[in-house]
Amino acid sequence: MRRLRLVPAETNWDFFRTARITFSASVVAVVISLAAFLILGLNYGIDFRGGTTIRTESHSAVDVGAYRQRLQELGLGDVSVTEVFDPTFESDKHVAMVRIEAQAGEEAASAELVAKVEEALRSVDPTIVFTSVESVGPKVSGELIRTAVIAVLLAIAAVLFYIWLRFEWQFSVGAVAALVHDVIITIGVFSIFRIQFDLATIAALLTIVGYSLNDTVVVFDRVRENLIKYKKKPLVEVLNLSINETLSRTVMTSVTTLIALIALLILGGDVIRGFVFAMTLGVVVGTYSSVFVASTILLWLGTKRDWSKPDANQGNQFSTSETP
Amino acid sequence: MLQIPLWQRIVIWGLVAIGVVLALPNAFYSRVERHNDAVKAIEQGVTDPQVLADAALWPDWLPSRLVALGLDLRGGAHLLAEVEVEQVFADRLDGYWPEIRDALRQHRDEIGTFRRLDGPPDELRIRISNPAGLQKAVEVVRGLASPVVSLGSVGATDIEVRAEAPDIVVVSLSEAEKAAITDRTVRQSLEIIRRRVDEVGTREPTIQRQGERRILIQVPGVGSAAELKALIGTTARLTFHPVVGRTTDPDQRPGPGQIIVPSMDEPGVYYILEKTPVVTGEDLVDAEPAFDQNGRPAVHFRFNPTGARKFGRYTAENVGSPFAIVLDNEVISAPVIREPIPGGSGQITGNFTVEESTQLAILLRAGALPAELTFLEERTIGPELGADSIEAGKLAAIVAGIAVLVFMALSYGWFGIIANVALILNVAMIFGLLSLIGATLTLPGIAGIVLTIGMAVDANVLVFERIREELRTARGPARAIELGYEKALSAILDANITTFITAVILYVMGSGPVRGFAVTLGLGIVTSVFTAVYLTRVMIVMWFERRRPRKIEV
């Protein structure tokens, strides 16, 4: 029976021949992302900066200019109107998102404010309906930012600790460098392309943390096994062998996950598109980084070679064997 | 060699069967939902033939728990309110003043005269005329403190008293008392909000405390957050006051013990009232919408015996003079007492619409909120948008599922098909578990399931790839399968535990939809490890035992 093979049964590619180039590329990408984040900032959704979003649906085409003009007359400060397109919409469904900044001295938007905005929009297009109205006060949005940042840092710390416990500290550094790389690049792409960054995006970032690790850990698990098996082989060869051995699995898993995510990206509707996009990006970058960032760092840091000692704490930080 | 004891097989298949049976109701969602509603109605004594027919839609012996749909899928209103306890603190402190005054009066010879100073609302400042008696004054006031009754604050007293040189006594509430008041106030608010929402009779509202002084209210199906806010955001403190006078000048200074309150219907008109009410809404036992003799909407109310007695006595003594009905610091109406009202019931008339009178009756029945609410967050999701999201999510999940199934079958042949069966059972088990623990499915939650579909095969892929490798060293298929499972285990566990850690952190730190995602992701990890490590293994072993192949191809 013929099988679909994405990767030949046995490969023997040298993943570290171009280590300098790939690693530099990663560093450049991270630096650009950080710069974008610092200079451009993120296009925060109302979850993080407070304010009100109103989703409108209508049978006639959205006239963004007219919407905006009518709303500006109300004097509500910063108002943005964007039309939403989606392949799952029927041809006579026209959707727009209206965003109004948090009003001074108010937490969640008052009923009068929302009524005023709805009336103004109805005067532009009488068939308009409001399918969702969401309002977050500045008090909560501040807390949400804080919790989100804590959540991401906590996740990274927890994982750092777990890997340190299960492997050696060098593995831990490699794995965490890889996932920080993935998270920063995802944030950078969100910043450069001005994609809305909200609570769901944070959930996506944490999933990326999980996925990136998942991938790295599988490679590292094999590295540990091969280090025990081939005591005299140079580390670079052990790493190469391990990556080659797990390559087929790495590619298979990434492809099945991407298949699922791409289906969701195209068909899942516009409400979660940002969320799914972040995860798709994260899976691609995460797969790359487990090979080219995590393993490269492990190679440079080196690791202990004598794993053979019958040590009850073998492989964890209580291990008695010395790291070279 | 490849052996799994019978009891293990029974346990594994048993767990799968339980998961599938628990998931079953979700496949017939609207049918089971009608059944559940009908069963609830029958419990309350409804015997409508339609209800009985609905109840028969789903057999009683099958589980009937459904995965609850989040607001983003079902539509509804979400509010996050903060209880303004500061006002309650200030009131509590104010309430202390008469007692302090009386106590200090008895020691006038030592402390001289004294008066209350204006100050911040969280302090009560008293200046005494004889600075030498400051210590004595502090002692006297301290003597009034009473212990706080609450858990975790043993030995604490309710007020703190300190001297501020040269001649001021400062009284403030202790932290323990503040905590106790906050707790009590938030709990009362929660109860009142629950009663009000229940009065409207919507299905499955979520009303829960969040943090120290916040309340989260989620009501599926309500038209908008604004409607919900009108229902629960009103304090609804009803009081009846003697009227002293009427004025059009809001800045007029009322006399001692009097307050000035605007009229609800007549703009620019203010009433001067006695501060102490004759009766309050707390003495109400019932309120219902009605019409007055002119056919205008009104609210009919009834007092409890205490309220009725007080009200009867007051009206008997004050025939001919007006009294004001005040709701949340606005005079609804100020009728003149024409005759004594001994029966304890009465009517409130104002410029109401029928909706307003119905709403007011609900609010009065449910009772007044002990403090004002500020709304920090409000979201309304239209049911159409929710339905669209479900459709889109379903379609994406089906397409993703089929694509992954085809891909797995093409890559691993027969083993891929086994993994596919496991994957389908895996998704069923996620739904079973979600129903069992009463979790809520949100839109990101659907994304979590789709992601699980993609990632669940990972564990199988790890095993299959390992079996392929072991086959190359040619120690026979049975040994290869055994080694494949054995050696892949550590990678499977490490990889999934790390992902599980992030799911737990998401659950703890996240809220609402994000939490829904964390739940499906976490459950997905548990079920996919179970299916990969146990279920596919049992399936492969059973197949292997029957066929005894010399050679296998993975």
Short mmCIF file of all heavy atoms in Angstrom, two decimals, chain A residues 154-167 171-172 175-176 179 205-220 249, chain B residues 455 458 462 490-506 521-522 525 529:
data_model
loop_
_atom_site.label_atom_id
_atom_site.label_comp_id
_atom_site.label_asym_id
_atom_site.label_seq_id
_atom_site.Cartn_x
_atom_site.Cartn_y
_atom_site.Cartn_z
N LEU A 154 3.49 33.98 33.78
CA LEU A 154 3.34 32.83 34.66
C LEU A 154 3.46 31.53 33.88
O LEU A 154 4.11 30.57 34.32
CB LEU A 154 1.95 32.91 35.32
CG LEU A 154 1.77 32.25 36.66
CD1 LEU A 154 2.65 32.93 37.67
CD2 LEU A 154 0.32 32.33 37.09
N ALA A 155 2.84 31.53 32.70
CA ALA A 155 2.89 30.33 31.86
C ALA A 155 4.34 30.03 31.49
O ALA A 155 4.80 28.89 31.59
CB ALA A 155 2.05 30.53 30.61
N ILE A 156 5.07 31.07 31.10
CA ILE A 156 6.46 30.88 30.71
C ILE A 156 7.28 30.36 31.90
O ILE A 156 8.05 29.41 31.78
CB ILE A 156 7.05 32.19 30.14
CG1 ILE A 156 6.38 32.51 28.81
CG2 ILE A 156 8.55 32.07 29.97
CD1 ILE A 156 6.78 33.81 28.19
N ALA A 157 7.05 30.97 33.07
CA ALA A 157 7.80 30.56 34.26
C ALA A 157 7.48 29.11 34.63
O ALA A 157 8.39 28.33 34.93
CB ALA A 157 7.47 31.49 35.42
N ALA A 158 6.21 28.75 34.57
CA ALA A 158 5.80 27.40 34.96
C ALA A 158 6.47 26.37 34.07
O ALA A 158 6.97 25.33 34.51
CB ALA A 158 4.29 27.27 34.89
N VAL A 159 6.50 26.70 32.78
CA VAL A 159 7.04 25.79 31.80
C VAL A 159 8.56 25.67 31.96
O VAL A 159 9.13 24.58 31.91
CB VAL A 159 6.63 26.31 30.43
CG1 VAL A 159 7.60 25.90 29.40
CG2 VAL A 159 5.22 25.87 30.12
N LEU A 160 9.19 26.83 32.20
CA LEU A 160 10.63 26.86 32.44
C LEU A 160 10.96 25.90 33.58
O LEU A 160 11.88 25.09 33.50
CB LEU A 160 11.03 28.28 32.82
CG LEU A 160 12.51 28.59 32.99
CD1 LEU A 160 13.14 28.77 31.63
CD2 LEU A 160 12.71 29.86 33.80
N PHE A 161 10.17 25.99 34.62
CA PHE A 161 10.39 25.16 35.80
C PHE A 161 10.17 23.68 35.48
O PHE A 161 10.96 22.82 35.86
CB PHE A 161 9.43 25.61 36.91
CG PHE A 161 9.63 24.88 38.19
CD1 PHE A 161 10.76 25.10 38.96
CD2 PHE A 161 8.70 23.96 38.63
CE1 PHE A 161 10.96 24.41 40.14
CE2 PHE A 161 8.88 23.27 39.81
CZ PHE A 161 10.02 23.49 40.56
N TYR A 162 9.10 23.40 34.75
CA TYR A 162 8.79 22.00 34.45
C TYR A 162 9.90 21.34 33.63
O TYR A 162 10.33 20.23 33.91
CB TYR A 162 7.45 21.89 33.71
CG TYR A 162 7.07 20.47 33.40
CD1 TYR A 162 6.55 19.64 34.38
CD2 TYR A 162 7.27 19.94 32.12
CE1 TYR A 162 6.23 18.33 34.11
CE2 TYR A 162 6.94 18.64 31.84
CZ TYR A 162 6.42 17.83 32.84
OH TYR A 162 6.11 16.53 32.56
N ILE A 163 10.38 22.06 32.62
CA ILE A 163 11.41 21.49 31.76
C ILE A 163 12.72 21.31 32.54
O ILE A 163 13.43 20.33 32.38
CB ILE A 163 11.67 22.40 30.54
CG1 ILE A 163 10.35 22.70 29.87
CG2 ILE A 163 12.69 21.77 29.59
CD1 ILE A 163 10.12 22.06 28.58
N TRP A 164 13.00 22.27 33.41
CA TRP A 164 14.20 22.20 34.24
C TRP A 164 14.11 20.95 35.10
O TRP A 164 15.08 20.20 35.28
CB TRP A 164 14.28 23.47 35.08
CG TRP A 164 15.42 23.51 36.04
CD1 TRP A 164 16.70 23.10 35.81
CD2 TRP A 164 15.38 23.99 37.38
NE1 TRP A 164 17.45 23.32 36.92
CE2 TRP A 164 16.68 23.85 37.90
CE3 TRP A 164 14.37 24.54 38.18
CZ2 TRP A 164 16.98 24.23 39.20
CZ3 TRP A 164 14.68 24.91 39.46
CH2 TRP A 164 15.98 24.76 39.96
N LEU A 165 12.91 20.69 35.61
CA LEU A 165 12.67 19.53 36.45
C LEU A 165 12.88 18.23 35.68
O LEU A 165 13.46 17.28 36.18
CB LEU A 165 11.21 19.60 36.94
CG LEU A 165 10.87 19.03 38.30
CD1 LEU A 165 11.44 19.91 39.37
CD2 LEU A 165 9.35 19.00 38.43
N ARG A 166 12.40 18.21 34.47
CA ARG A 166 12.41 16.98 33.69
C ARG A 166 13.72 16.80 32.93
O ARG A 166 14.10 15.68 32.61
CB ARG A 166 11.27 16.98 32.69
CG ARG A 166 9.90 16.91 33.32
CD ARG A 166 9.55 15.50 33.70
NE ARG A 166 9.45 14.63 32.53
CZ ARG A 166 9.43 13.31 32.60
NH1 ARG A 166 9.53 12.71 33.76
NH2 ARG A 166 9.34 12.58 31.51
N PHE A 167 14.38 17.88 32.55
CA PHE A 167 15.62 17.79 31.79
C PHE A 167 16.74 18.47 32.56
O PHE A 167 16.85 18.29 33.75
CB PHE A 167 15.44 18.42 30.40
CG PHE A 167 14.39 17.76 29.56
CD1 PHE A 167 13.07 18.18 29.60
CD2 PHE A 167 14.72 16.70 28.72
CE1 PHE A 167 12.11 17.58 28.82
CE2 PHE A 167 13.75 16.09 27.94
CZ PHE A 167 12.45 16.52 27.99
N PHE A 171 18.33 22.75 28.58
CA PHE A 171 17.13 22.45 27.79
C PHE A 171 16.07 23.49 28.07
O PHE A 171 15.37 23.98 27.18
CB PHE A 171 16.58 21.06 28.17
CG PHE A 171 17.41 19.91 27.70
CD1 PHE A 171 18.62 19.60 28.31
CD2 PHE A 171 16.98 19.12 26.66
CE1 PHE A 171 19.38 18.53 27.88
CE2 PHE A 171 17.74 18.04 26.22
CZ PHE A 171 18.94 17.73 26.83
N SER A 172 15.98 23.80 29.36
CA SER A 172 14.98 24.76 29.80
C SER A 172 15.19 26.11 29.12
O SER A 172 14.25 26.72 28.62
CB SER A 172 15.11 24.86 31.30
OG SER A 172 14.05 25.51 31.85
N ALA A 175 14.24 25.85 25.42
CA ALA A 175 12.80 25.78 25.20
C ALA A 175 12.15 27.14 25.42
O ALA A 175 11.32 27.59 24.63
CB ALA A 175 12.18 24.74 26.13
N VAL A 176 12.57 27.81 26.50
CA VAL A 176 11.95 29.09 26.80
C VAL A 176 12.36 30.15 25.78
O VAL A 176 11.53 30.96 25.35
CB VAL A 176 12.27 29.52 28.24
CG1 VAL A 176 11.89 30.97 28.47
CG2 VAL A 176 11.52 28.63 29.21
N LEU A 179 10.09 29.68 22.90
CA LEU A 179 8.71 30.13 23.01
C LEU A 179 8.60 31.65 23.16
O LEU A 179 7.65 32.25 22.67
CB LEU A 179 7.96 29.38 24.11
CG LEU A 179 8.21 29.64 25.56
CD1 LEU A 179 7.29 30.73 26.04
CD2 LEU A 179 7.88 28.37 26.32
N LEU A 205 -2.00 33.44 22.38
CA LEU A 205 -0.57 33.48 22.72
C LEU A 205 -0.21 32.36 23.69
O LEU A 205 0.82 31.70 23.55
CB LEU A 205 -0.21 34.83 23.37
CG LEU A 205 -0.06 36.02 22.43
CD1 LEU A 205 0.34 37.25 23.23
CD2 LEU A 205 1.01 35.73 21.39
N LEU A 206 -1.09 32.14 24.67
CA LEU A 206 -0.81 31.08 25.64
C LEU A 206 -0.86 29.71 24.97
O LEU A 206 -0.10 28.81 25.33
CB LEU A 206 -1.81 31.14 26.78
CG LEU A 206 -1.46 32.22 27.79
CD1 LEU A 206 -2.60 32.46 28.74
CD2 LEU A 206 -0.23 31.80 28.59
N THR A 207 -1.75 29.57 24.00
CA THR A 207 -1.80 28.30 23.29
C THR A 207 -0.51 28.10 22.50
O THR A 207 0.02 27.00 22.40
CB THR A 207 -2.98 28.29 22.32
OG1 THR A 207 -4.09 28.86 22.96
CG2 THR A 207 -3.32 26.88 21.90
N ILE A 208 -0.01 29.22 21.95
CA ILE A 208 1.25 29.13 21.22
C ILE A 208 2.36 28.69 22.16
O ILE A 208 3.18 27.85 21.83
CB ILE A 208 1.60 30.50 20.59
CG1 ILE A 208 0.59 30.83 19.50
CG2 ILE A 208 3.01 30.50 20.04
CD1 ILE A 208 0.69 32.24 18.99
N VAL A 209 2.34 29.26 23.37
CA VAL A 209 3.32 28.84 24.37
C VAL A 209 3.24 27.33 24.54
O VAL A 209 4.26 26.62 24.51
CB VAL A 209 3.05 29.54 25.73
CG1 VAL A 209 3.86 28.92 26.84
CG2 VAL A 209 3.36 31.03 25.62
N GLY A 210 2.02 26.83 24.69
CA GLY A 210 1.83 25.39 24.87
C GLY A 210 2.29 24.60 23.66
O GLY A 210 3.00 23.60 23.78
N TYR A 211 1.92 25.07 22.49
CA TYR A 211 2.24 24.31 21.28
C TYR A 211 3.74 24.30 21.02
O TYR A 211 4.34 23.26 20.73
CB TYR A 211 1.50 24.90 20.07
CG TYR A 211 1.72 24.08 18.84
CD1 TYR A 211 0.89 22.99 18.56
CD2 TYR A 211 2.79 24.31 17.99
CE1 TYR A 211 1.11 22.19 17.47
CE2 TYR A 211 3.02 23.52 16.89
CZ TYR A 211 2.18 22.46 16.63
OH TYR A 211 2.41 21.66 15.56
N SER A 212 4.33 25.48 21.14
CA SER A 212 5.75 25.62 20.88
C SER A 212 6.54 24.66 21.76
O SER A 212 7.49 24.01 21.32
CB SER A 212 6.16 27.07 21.17
OG SER A 212 7.55 27.20 21.24
N LEU A 213 6.08 24.56 23.01
CA LEU A 213 6.75 23.67 23.94
C LEU A 213 6.57 22.24 23.61
O LEU A 213 7.50 21.44 23.66
CB LEU A 213 6.09 23.86 25.28
CG LEU A 213 6.88 24.86 26.01
CD1 LEU A 213 6.06 25.49 27.01
CD2 LEU A 213 8.06 24.14 26.56
N ASN A 214 5.33 21.92 23.26
CA ASN A 214 4.97 20.57 22.89
C ASN A 214 5.98 20.07 21.86
O ASN A 214 6.56 18.99 21.99
CB ASN A 214 3.56 20.67 22.28
CG ASN A 214 2.97 19.34 21.96
OD1 ASN A 214 3.64 18.50 21.41
ND2 ASN A 214 1.72 19.15 22.30
N ASP A 215 6.21 20.90 20.86
CA ASP A 215 7.10 20.55 19.78
C ASP A 215 8.54 20.41 20.26
O ASP A 215 9.24 19.46 19.92
CB ASP A 215 7.01 21.68 18.75
CG ASP A 215 6.76 21.12 17.38
OD1 ASP A 215 6.13 20.05 17.31
OD2 ASP A 215 7.19 21.75 16.41
N THR A 216 8.96 21.40 21.04
CA THR A 216 10.33 21.40 21.53
C THR A 216 10.59 20.19 22.42
O THR A 216 11.63 19.54 22.33
CB THR A 216 10.61 22.69 22.32
OG1 THR A 216 10.16 23.79 21.55
CG2 THR A 216 12.07 22.86 22.61
N VAL A 217 9.61 19.92 23.29
CA VAL A 217 9.79 18.84 24.25
C VAL A 217 9.95 17.50 23.55
O VAL A 217 10.77 16.67 23.94
CB VAL A 217 8.60 18.81 25.24
CG1 VAL A 217 8.57 17.50 25.99
CG2 VAL A 217 8.71 19.96 26.21
N VAL A 218 9.23 17.29 22.47
CA VAL A 218 9.34 16.03 21.74
C VAL A 218 10.76 15.86 21.20
O VAL A 218 11.37 14.80 21.31
CB VAL A 218 8.29 15.95 20.62
CG1 VAL A 218 8.57 14.77 19.72
CG2 VAL A 218 6.90 15.85 21.22
N VAL A 219 11.31 16.94 20.65
CA VAL A 219 12.68 16.87 20.14
C VAL A 219 13.65 16.62 21.30
O VAL A 219 14.51 15.74 21.24
CB VAL A 219 13.06 18.17 19.40
CG1 VAL A 219 14.52 18.14 18.99
CG2 VAL A 219 12.17 18.37 18.18
N PHE A 220 13.47 17.37 22.38
CA PHE A 220 14.38 17.24 23.53
C PHE A 220 14.31 15.86 24.15
O PHE A 220 15.32 15.33 24.63
CB PHE A 220 14.05 18.31 24.58
CG PHE A 220 14.60 19.66 24.25
CD1 PHE A 220 15.26 19.89 23.05
CD2 PHE A 220 14.49 20.71 25.14
CE1 PHE A 220 15.77 21.13 22.74
CE2 PHE A 220 15.00 21.96 24.84
CZ PHE A 220 15.63 22.17 23.64
N ARG A 249 7.48 13.16 12.57
CA ARG A 249 6.41 13.46 13.52
C ARG A 249 6.14 14.97 13.60
O ARG A 249 5.00 15.41 13.62
CB ARG A 249 6.79 12.90 14.89
CG ARG A 249 5.85 13.27 15.99
CD ARG A 249 6.35 14.50 16.71
NE ARG A 249 5.27 15.16 17.44
CZ ARG A 249 5.35 16.38 17.89
NH1 ARG A 249 6.43 17.11 17.65
NH2 ARG A 249 4.37 16.92 18.54
N MET B 455 -4.46 18.56 17.20
CA MET B 455 -3.36 18.14 18.08
C MET B 455 -3.54 16.74 18.66
O MET B 455 -2.58 16.12 19.07
CB MET B 455 -3.19 19.15 19.22
CG MET B 455 -2.50 20.42 18.75
SD MET B 455 -2.42 21.68 20.02
CE MET B 455 -1.18 21.00 21.11
N ASP B 458 -1.54 14.06 17.48
CA ASP B 458 -0.11 14.15 17.77
C ASP B 458 0.39 12.94 18.56
O ASP B 458 1.40 12.33 18.20
CB ASP B 458 0.20 15.43 18.54
CG ASP B 458 1.67 15.53 18.90
OD1 ASP B 458 2.49 15.45 17.98
OD2 ASP B 458 1.98 15.66 20.10
N LEU B 462 3.11 10.28 17.33
CA LEU B 462 4.33 9.95 18.08
C LEU B 462 4.49 8.44 18.19
O LEU B 462 5.57 7.89 17.94
CB LEU B 462 4.27 10.55 19.49
CG LEU B 462 4.72 11.99 19.62
CD1 LEU B 462 4.30 12.55 20.97
CD2 LEU B 462 6.23 12.08 19.48
N SER B 490 7.02 8.81 27.21
CA SER B 490 7.59 9.94 27.94
C SER B 490 7.44 11.23 27.14
O SER B 490 7.13 12.28 27.69
CB SER B 490 9.05 9.64 28.30
OG SER B 490 9.94 10.35 27.50
N ALA B 491 7.62 11.13 25.80
CA ALA B 491 7.44 12.33 24.98
C ALA B 491 5.98 12.79 25.03
O ALA B 491 5.70 13.99 25.14
CB ALA B 491 7.85 12.06 23.54
N ILE B 492 5.05 11.83 24.97
CA ILE B 492 3.63 12.19 25.00
C ILE B 492 3.30 12.92 26.29
O ILE B 492 2.66 13.97 26.29
CB ILE B 492 2.74 10.93 24.87
CG1 ILE B 492 2.89 10.32 23.48
CG2 ILE B 492 1.29 11.25 25.15
CD1 ILE B 492 2.15 9.01 23.30
N LEU B 493 3.77 12.34 27.40
CA LEU B 493 3.45 12.95 28.69
C LEU B 493 4.06 14.33 28.83
O LEU B 493 3.38 15.29 29.18
CB LEU B 493 3.92 12.04 29.83
CG LEU B 493 3.07 10.79 30.04
CD1 LEU B 493 3.57 10.01 31.24
CD2 LEU B 493 1.60 11.16 30.23
N ASP B 494 5.36 14.44 28.53
CA ASP B 494 6.01 15.74 28.67
C ASP B 494 5.33 16.80 27.81
O ASP B 494 5.05 17.91 28.26
CB ASP B 494 7.49 15.64 28.26
CG ASP B 494 8.34 15.13 29.41
OD1 ASP B 494 7.88 15.25 30.56
OD2 ASP B 494 9.44 14.62 29.17
N ALA B 495 5.06 16.43 26.57
CA ALA B 495 4.48 17.40 25.65
C ALA B 495 3.11 17.83 26.13
O ALA B 495 2.75 19.02 26.10
CB ALA B 495 4.38 16.79 24.25
N ASN B 496 2.30 16.87 26.62
CA ASN B 496 0.94 17.23 27.00
C ASN B 496 0.86 17.90 28.36
O ASN B 496 0.00 18.75 28.57
CB ASN B 496 0.03 16.00 26.95
CG ASN B 496 -0.31 15.66 25.51
OD1 ASN B 496 -1.06 16.37 24.86
ND2 ASN B 496 0.27 14.60 24.99
N ILE B 497 1.76 17.54 29.26
CA ILE B 497 1.74 18.20 30.56
C ILE B 497 2.05 19.69 30.40
O ILE B 497 1.39 20.55 30.99
CB ILE B 497 2.72 17.52 31.55
CG1 ILE B 497 2.13 16.17 31.98
CG2 ILE B 497 2.92 18.39 32.78
CD1 ILE B 497 3.06 15.33 32.79
N THR B 498 3.04 20.01 29.55
CA THR B 498 3.35 21.42 29.36
C THR B 498 2.16 22.18 28.79
O THR B 498 1.84 23.29 29.23
CB THR B 498 4.57 21.62 28.44
OG1 THR B 498 4.42 20.76 27.32
CG2 THR B 498 5.85 21.31 29.15
N THR B 499 1.48 21.58 27.81
CA THR B 499 0.30 22.26 27.26
C THR B 499 -0.79 22.37 28.31
O THR B 499 -1.48 23.38 28.40
CB THR B 499 -0.23 21.51 26.03
OG1 THR B 499 0.86 21.15 25.20
CG2 THR B 499 -1.18 22.38 25.24
N PHE B 500 -0.91 21.33 29.11
CA PHE B 500 -1.94 21.34 30.15
C PHE B 500 -1.68 22.45 31.17
O PHE B 500 -2.60 23.12 31.63
CB PHE B 500 -1.98 19.97 30.85
CG PHE B 500 -3.19 19.78 31.70
CD1 PHE B 500 -4.42 19.52 31.12
CD2 PHE B 500 -3.11 19.86 33.08
CE1 PHE B 500 -5.55 19.35 31.90
CE2 PHE B 500 -4.23 19.69 33.86
CZ PHE B 500 -5.45 19.43 33.27
N ILE B 501 -0.38 22.67 31.48
CA ILE B 501 -0.03 23.76 32.41
C ILE B 501 -0.56 25.08 31.87
O ILE B 501 -1.19 25.86 32.59
CB ILE B 501 1.51 23.84 32.61
CG1 ILE B 501 2.01 22.62 33.39
CG2 ILE B 501 1.90 25.12 33.34
CD1 ILE B 501 3.53 22.57 33.51
N THR B 502 -0.35 25.33 30.58
CA THR B 502 -0.83 26.61 30.04
C THR B 502 -2.35 26.67 30.06
O THR B 502 -2.93 27.73 30.30
CB THR B 502 -0.30 26.86 28.61
OG1 THR B 502 -0.68 25.77 27.80
CG2 THR B 502 1.18 27.02 28.59
N ALA B 503 -3.01 25.53 29.83
CA ALA B 503 -4.48 25.53 29.88
C ALA B 503 -4.96 25.88 31.29
O ALA B 503 -5.91 26.65 31.45
CB ALA B 503 -5.03 24.17 29.45
N VAL B 504 -4.28 25.35 32.30
CA VAL B 504 -4.67 25.64 33.69
C VAL B 504 -4.49 27.13 33.98
O VAL B 504 -5.37 27.78 34.57
CB VAL B 504 -3.85 24.78 34.68
CG1 VAL B 504 -4.06 25.27 36.11
CG2 VAL B 504 -4.24 23.32 34.56
N ILE B 505 -3.35 27.68 33.55
CA ILE B 505 -3.11 29.10 33.80
C ILE B 505 -4.17 29.94 33.09
O ILE B 505 -4.71 30.90 33.66
CB ILE B 505 -1.68 29.48 33.35
CG1 ILE B 505 -0.69 28.83 34.32
CG2 ILE B 505 -1.50 30.98 33.33
CD1 ILE B 505 0.74 29.00 33.94
N LEU B 506 -4.50 29.57 31.86
CA LEU B 506 -5.56 30.28 31.13
C LEU B 506 -6.86 30.23 31.90
O LEU B 506 -7.59 31.21 31.98
CB LEU B 506 -5.80 29.59 29.80
CG LEU B 506 -5.23 30.23 28.56
CD1 LEU B 506 -5.63 29.44 27.34
CD2 LEU B 506 -5.73 31.64 28.43
N LEU B 521 -9.66 23.08 25.84
CA LEU B 521 -8.26 22.71 25.57
C LEU B 521 -7.78 21.70 26.61
O LEU B 521 -7.20 20.66 26.28
CB LEU B 521 -7.38 23.96 25.58
CG LEU B 521 -5.92 23.75 25.17
CD1 LEU B 521 -5.81 23.39 23.71
CD2 LEU B 521 -5.10 25.00 25.45
N GLY B 522 -8.04 21.99 27.88
CA GLY B 522 -7.59 21.11 28.96
C GLY B 522 -8.23 19.73 28.87
O GLY B 522 -7.55 18.71 28.94
N ILE B 525 -6.86 17.74 26.06
CA ILE B 525 -5.56 17.12 26.33
C ILE B 525 -5.76 15.81 27.10
O ILE B 525 -5.19 14.77 26.75
CB ILE B 525 -4.65 18.09 27.11
CG1 ILE B 525 -4.24 19.23 26.20
CG2 ILE B 525 -3.42 17.37 27.62
CD1 ILE B 525 -3.63 20.40 26.92
N VAL B 529 -4.83 12.22 25.41
CA VAL B 529 -3.80 11.34 25.96
C VAL B 529 -4.42 9.97 26.27
O VAL B 529 -3.85 8.92 25.95
CB VAL B 529 -3.16 11.94 27.23
CG1 VAL B 529 -2.32 10.91 27.96
CG2 VAL B 529 -2.33 13.14 26.87
#
